[in-house]
Amino acid sequence: MLIKPKIRGFICTTAHPVGCEANVLEQIEYVKSRGTIPNAAKKVLIIGASTGYGLASRITAAFGNQATTVGVFFEKAPTENSTASAGWYNSVAFEKIAKAQGLYVKSINGDAFSDAIKAETIQILKEEVGPVDLVIYSLASPRRTHPKTGHIAKSVLKPIGKPYSGKTLDTDKAEVKNVTIEIATQDEINETVAVMGGEDWEMWIDALDRANLLAKGCQTVSYTYLGAKQTWPIYGQAAIGKAKEDLDRAAKALNQRLKALNGSAHVAVMKAIVTQASSAIPIMPLYISLLYKVMKEKGVHEGCIEQVYRLFSKNLYGNKLLLDDAGRFRLDDLELDAAVQSSVEALWEKVTTENLNNTTDFKGYQTDFLKLFGFGFPSVDYEADVDPVVGFEH
Ligand code: NAD
């Protein structure tokens, strides 16, 4: 079939298998061009491994130091008439390329919050891999079924304390408009913490530790976003920000636990980039379009793979431990640079529908958004008939 993008709001409901492979290859080429990361982990478990920061982590581990990677994700398989989700195609492509280069890879598709998927992962690690020396936790999900109570918690993207009123970008219509978002109730805040807070990260480490599957010196990292003034009302100081604060609590508890293994747990603060998760957050597309413009003009723009390569080579396996006062890795340093932020703030005041393409890098935003689903790669013939049904080799 011919596969074209079908965009509905912040999601594209189709994905292109050949384009997703091009996306994965581009990231692999980046890592290879930067070279081996000496002393990096050799056995890595990535939870949320199929898109965004998790996929970049898997690629960096595999191609930065020839690591064995086990990836967990939740993606839609293809049928004769409908494409798979992008993460499915990304993972198929990753496996194919990694295996061809002699790397061990294993992928597990299912709900990472469940006991069943944890048990399946543990079984595979026991039988085929052994203890891991790095666990990357990179889930982004709007809901979580609690494995013990069965309660389905739903996260919200709402402010705390007072409603948000301000600019946002309708990416379908390329329109800058005003939006008001009502505050989250305490119940909604609790639910958001249940979905995106640290409990599941702790459950994973607990299950792995009990099964003796954490190697001596094992490290674990969970990703967060802090942001600045423009995004605080909807992110940093909002319901999702409370969930991210809970990651700091979990990191402390995990550090205690991992002491016995000489291991450690850290939260890594990453930069805002276009992913399926971030495009669903109100005002984030406008902020990212402005940020990209400013950072590209200053020559300091980074995407997922550049951020994660830096995390591995400088923070995780560099010469010295680079942590902030709260014990976190900071990869958002260039984004939060005062000059970058003041330029973003000035443009934020100015931006309107009419001047959108001059004041922002909305074009860059759209290009990156389409790339997430395998569209817009010059090497791919989008007029060619393509079979959507591609699967994992066993
Ligand atoms: P993403 O949407 O690209 O990736 C989410 C991953 O989670 C996918 O692999 C998906 O399959 C997996 N997933 C979701 N629900 C699952 C489930 N129930 N079981 C198994 N797998 C599941 O998201 P992303 O933007 O890369 O976000 C990853 C992490 O990085 C999040 O913690 C996010 O807050 C953080 N982060 C993102 C940004 C950003 O700008 N995108 C910035 C800083 C930090």
Side-chain angles (χ1 to χ4, degrees):
M1 69 196 248
L2 280 187
I3 303 176
K4 303 280 174 182
K6 274 194 200 146
I7 299 172
R8 307 254 178 286
F10 53 76
I11 188 80
C12 179
T13 59
T14 51
H16 199 287
V18 186
C20 286
E21 181 167 342
N23 184 15
V24 169
L25 255 178
E26 199 173 273
Q27 296 189 52
I28 292 173
E29 289 310 320
Y30 173 80
V31 172
K32 286 187 170 172
S33 76
R34 296 299 309 273
T36 301
I37 303 167
N39 307 319
K42 286 307 241 182
K43 293 180 182 180
V44 183
L45 171 64
I46 304 103
I47 302 154
S50 53
T51 54
Y53 276 121
L55 174 65
S57 305
R58 189 173 199 185
I59 290 172
T60 304
F63 294 92
N65 199 29
Q66 307 295 300
T68 284
T69 58
V70 177
V72 182
F73 46 77
F74 207 4
E75 299 295 346
K76 181 171 101 44
T79 68
E80 293 294 328
N81 309 316
S82 69
T83 75
S85 54
W88 174 279
Y89 290 139
N90 290 340
S91 302
V92 169
F94 170 84
E95 280 210 356
K96 188 179 92 180
I97 302 163
K99 277 184 184 167
Q101 303 198 15
L103 296 173
Y104 176 94
V105 290
K106 196 87 189 186
S107 297
I108 299 150
N109 190 26
D111 183 5
F113 296 129
S114 70
D115 285 344
I117 287 296
K118 289 184 178 76
E120 188 181 331
T121 308
I122 281 171
Q123 192 67 22
I124 287 169
L125 289 174
K126 267 191 185 153
E127 287 171 3
E128 301 180 31
V129 178
V132 293
D133 32 27
L134 177 65
V135 180
I136 297 282
Y137 189 88
S138 187
L139 288 191
S141 173
R143 70 184 66 81
R144 169 181 175 222
T145 304
H146 197 282
K148 309 298 173 208
T149 65
H151 174 72
I152 302 173
K154 294 189 180 124
S155 67
V156 296
L157 295 158
K158 292 183 178 179
I160 293 177
K162 63 173 187 208
Y164 172 81
S165 252
K167 286 181 180 174
T168 193
L169 174 60
D170 180 329
T171 49
D172 276 351
K173 297 186 185 143
E175 199 176 286
V176 179
K177 53 187 191 188
N178 277 313
V179 66
T180 298
I181 306 168
E182 294 305 327
I183 59 167
T185 62
Q186 189 55 50
D187 196 39
E188 287 176 323
I189 297 169
N190 297 343
E191 294 251 315
T192 307
V193 174
V195 180
M196 289 297 285
E199 189 189 27
D200 185 58
W201 183 24
E202 290 179 283
M203 284 179 164
W204 267 100
I205 298 300
D206 179 61
L208 292 163
D209 195 12
R210 280 172 195 275
N212 294 320
L213 286 169
L214 299 177
K216 269 217 159 325
C218 177
Q219 302 198 66
T220 182
V221 175
S222 184
Y223 294 135
T224 197
Y225 182 66
L226 293 181
K229 211 167 132 187
Q230 255 76 31
T231 54
W232 281 341
I234 203 75
Y235 202 104
Q237 297 173 357
I240 181 74
K242 286 285 166 214
K244 293 300 193 183
E245 270 173 43
D246 190 58
L247 289 182
D248 291 326
R249 175 204 57 74
K252 276 204 188 88
L254 289 174
N255 264 319
Q256 283 303 323
R257 175 170 199 145
L258 293 174
K259 260 187 192 158
L261 287 169
N262 216 5
S264 60
H266 292 290
V267 168
V269 192
M270 311 305 277
K271 162 187 189 284
I273 42 144
V274 183
T275 65
Q276 292 185 44
S278 68
S279 47
I281 302 173
I283 80 171
M284 210 41 119
L286 180 58
Y287 173 75
I288 291 177
S289 302
L290 290 165
L291 182 72
Y292 275 25
K293 175 160 182 83
V294 173
M295 292 188 81
K296 283 180 185 175
E297 277 175 8
K298 290 188 188 298
V300 292
H301 174 72
E302 290 172 309
C304 260
I305 196 70
E306 290 86 354
Q307 281 266 292
V308 174
Y309 187 89
R310 182 148 75 93
L311 170 73
F312 274 58
S313 57
K314 295 271 191 301
N315 299 80
L316 276 171
Y317 305 107
N319 298 329
K320 50 180 189 252
L321 203 58
L322 297 167
L323 297 171
D324 71 4
D325 294 345
R328 297 178 292 223
F329 295 132
R330 298 304 294 257
L331 282 302
D332 61 343
D333 49 347
L334 301 172
E335 172 182 352
L336 295 192
D337 174 77
V340 168
Q341 283 303 316
S342 71
S343 300
V344 170
E345 276 177 43
L347 290 171
W348 186 281
E349 295 305 318
K350 271 186 20 196
V351 66
T352 61
T353 303
E354 291 67 39
N355 66 23
L356 183 66
N357 284 325
N358 297 327
T359 38
T360 77
D361 182 29
F362 183 48
K363 288 259 175 306
Y365 181 94
Q366 288 175 304
T367 302
D368 278 10
F369 181 80
L370 284 172
K371 280 173 83 173
L372 298 178
F373 304 93
F375 297 108
F377 288 90
S379 60
V380 179
D381 177 3
Y382 293 98
E383 299 309 321
D385 197 36
V386 55
D387 185 357
V389 183
V390 294
F392 294 89
E393 287 169 27
H394 291 289

